[in-house]
Every structure is written in C-alpha cells, then in structure tokens.
C-alpha cells in the first residue's frame, strides 16, 4: 500500500535519553515534515525537508534533530535537550502538486 | 505575517449542515487545505483549494473562499455522527513548502 508509515506508535522515554521516531514514505514525495501536537492544541512545525540532504528548522526546532539521507525516510530524534517532549508527533510528506499527507502519528511519553 | 485562525467548537444536529470557518492573513498566492483528525489518529486530507478559485465541491463537502476578506469555509452537507472530529484549516504559500495550521475546530454531531 502507498502511504506514510510512522513507528513506533507509542514510545516511552526516560529522563536524559535520546529517542528516534521513524517516518517512511513510498509516495515518491520530495518534501517531508515533522509536526508536534499537544493535547487540545494545533500543530507546530519542528523541521521540514524539501530535498535529500537538506532540511530547515520550523518554529520549535530546539531539542530536536533530523536527517534526510534518503528520499523516503525522515527520522526525528528527540534529544535530552527537549525539556517537555511528551506529545503526539506527526510526520507528513508532499509533492509539487501540493497534496500533503500525514502518517498516523507517534505518541511519546516521558517517564 | 502568517496566521490562521479558527473557531474552537461547533455543535450540530445529525442531518443538518455544518459550516466551519477559517481566516488567514497571507496575501500571497497560496493553497488552503482542510484536514480531519479523529481521536488519536493522524490528519486526513479532505480537500484543498488554490487562492485563484472561489469554490470547490466534492460530494458532501463544499469549500468557499472569499479572497477579499481572507475567509475560508468548509460546509458539510447532511452531517453524520461519523463526521464528529477536529477539523484543521491550513495555508501554504505557492513558493514555499511550509504548511501553517489553525488551532482546529472540534465538531460535535448530536443524534
């Protein structure tokens, strides 16, 4: 099936740990995105990438890092510098036709 | 500047029409999107419209764009209980990959 796959669906992080969320797409899209959603709130952009080996900071990039070594993959690392990482993380991808699709999301909880 | 605003909550009776409103501020050529989010899930792309269009219809969904007032609306005809969800309006400039979201409107459909 074509689409965007995020894993894991649920992840628990201990204080001081780095964790990585996976995002893979087989839609042949150039652009990929990471958003954070807090309960009852909208989406805030963390990072986005328009092309392989290039990415830009969004509005809340501090404490996060990304890589784009392959067109289909855009992993997000939540570092220990992110002081309040508990949230719902959404990955998306889009093309020049301006359709942008989302994955099913990953829940990250600090324990 | 970039800002997208939505009302927070809408309640309708099953079978009635729902109208969800959104205002945006960017005056550049832009794409405007409507997404639906069910509890604990990712965002589902419902429809989108380019800023040179006034209206777009897709089955029960009608999007109206008032460019002068920078006002976008989503009308859902014959609203069903399965339409209960959060609806997000989003804006993307034609020259950019960055997608800006409103805070979402929670639609509750009463039997």
């Amino acid at each position: 099936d074509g689409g965007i796959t995020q894993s894991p669906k649920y992840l628990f992080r201990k204080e001081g740990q780095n964790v990585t969320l996976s995002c893979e797409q087989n839609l042949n899209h150039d652009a990929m995105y990471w958003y954070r959603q807090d309960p009852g709130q909208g989406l805030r952009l963390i990072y986005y990438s328009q092309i392989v080996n290039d990415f830009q900071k969004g509005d809340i990039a501090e404490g996060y890092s990304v890589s784009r070594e392959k067109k289909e993959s855009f992993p997000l690392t939540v570092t220990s510098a992110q002081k309040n990482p508990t949230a719902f993380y959404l990955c998306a991808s889009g093309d020049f036709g301006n359709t942008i699709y989302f994955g099913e999301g990953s829940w990250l909880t600090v324990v | 500047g970039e800002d997208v605003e939505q009302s927070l909550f809408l309640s309708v009776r099953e079978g009635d029409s729902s109208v969800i409103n959104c205002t945006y501020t960017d005056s550049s050529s832009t794409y405007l999107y409507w997404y639906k989010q069910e509890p604990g899930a990712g965002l589902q792309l419902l429809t989108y419209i380019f800023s040179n269009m006034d209206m777009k219809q897709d089955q029960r969904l009608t999007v109206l764009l008032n460019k002068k007032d920078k006002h976008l609306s989503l009308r859902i005809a014959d609203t069903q209980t399965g339409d209960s969800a959060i609806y997000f309006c989003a804006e993307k400039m034609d020259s950019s990959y960055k997608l800006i979201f409103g805070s979402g409107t929670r639609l509750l459909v009463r039997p």
Side-chain angles (χ1 to χ4, degrees):
Chain A
D1 287 343
I4 302 167
T5 302
Q6 291 188 237
S7 62
K9 179 69 175 178
Y10 300 96
L11 185 60
F12 297 90
R13 191 194 94 168
K14 294 181 180 178
E15 296 281 352
Q17 242 183 5
N18 292 356
V19 293
T20 297
L21 306 179
S22 170
C23 179
E24 302 277 332
Q25 55 100 357
N26 60 5
L27 301 168
N28 201 33
H29 286 168
D30 289 302
M32 296 188 74
Y33 309 78
W34 275 105
Y35 284 88
R36 170 180 170 144
Q37 186 178 29
D38 292 283
Q41 298 189 29
L43 281 72
R44 293 183 289 168
L45 182 63
I46 306 172
Y47 270 98
Y48 67 106
S49 168
Q50 299 180 31
I51 198 168
V52 174
N53 292 323
D54 187 46
F55 46 83
Q56 288 77 42
K57 292 182 179 180
D59 300 317
I60 56 164
E62 185 174 351
Y64 300 97
S65 66
V66 292
S67 62
R68 188 85 187 276
E69 297 176 1
K70 299 185 295 182
K71 186 175 185 178
E72 59 269 24
S73 179
F74 192 42
L76 174 74
T77 297
V78 184
T79 75
S80 57
Q82 172 48 242
K83 297 307 178 188
N84 186 23
T86 296
F88 189 47
Y89 291 86
L90 287 155
C91 177
S93 72
D95 61 12
F96 284 109
N98 294 293
T99 48
I100 298 172
Y101 298 101
F102 281 79
E104 285 299 305
S106 293
W107 291 93
L108 174 62
T109 303
V110 174
V111 296
Chain B
E2 307 160 333
D3 197 14
V4 178
E5 294 188 356
Q6 301 178 237
S7 52
L8 292 180
F9 184 74
L10 176 65
S11 178
V12 300
R13 194 176 299 277
E14 188 175 17
D16 289 349
S17 291
S18 306
V19 179
I20 302 170
N21 295 302
C22 170
T23 58
Y24 62 99
T25 57
D26 202 292
S27 59
S28 307
S29 296
T30 189
Y31 288 85
L32 295 148
Y33 300 80
W34 285 106
Y35 286 89
K36 176 184 180 182
Q37 186 181 35
E38 298 187 25
L43 272 67
Q44 175 192 352
L45 177 62
L46 294 176
T47 187
Y48 68 97
I49 190 169
F50 189 55
S51 56
N52 67 352
M53 299 170 65
D54 297 321
M55 185 183 87
K56 183 177 181 181
Q57 188 160 0
D58 183 3
Q59 299 183 345
R60 292 191 297 123
L61 305 179
T62 302
V63 177
L64 294 177
L65 178 60
N66 181 326
K67 291 181 283 294
K68 174 176 172 291
D69 295 337
K70 295 188 177 65
H71 181 266
L72 182 74
S73 67
L74 174 69
R75 178 178 180 270
I76 305 172
D78 186 24
T79 313
Q80 302 298 306
T81 54
D83 294 323
S84 291
I86 300 174
Y87 290 81
F88 289 96
C89 170
E91 173 187 32
K92 185 181 80 69
M93 289 188 291
D94 191 26
S95 58
S96 168
Y97 277 95
K98 191 175 177 182
L99 194 63
I100 307 298
F101 282 86
S103 56
T105 299
R106 184 178 296 275
L107 173 64
L108 175 66
V109 182
R110 309 184 308 273

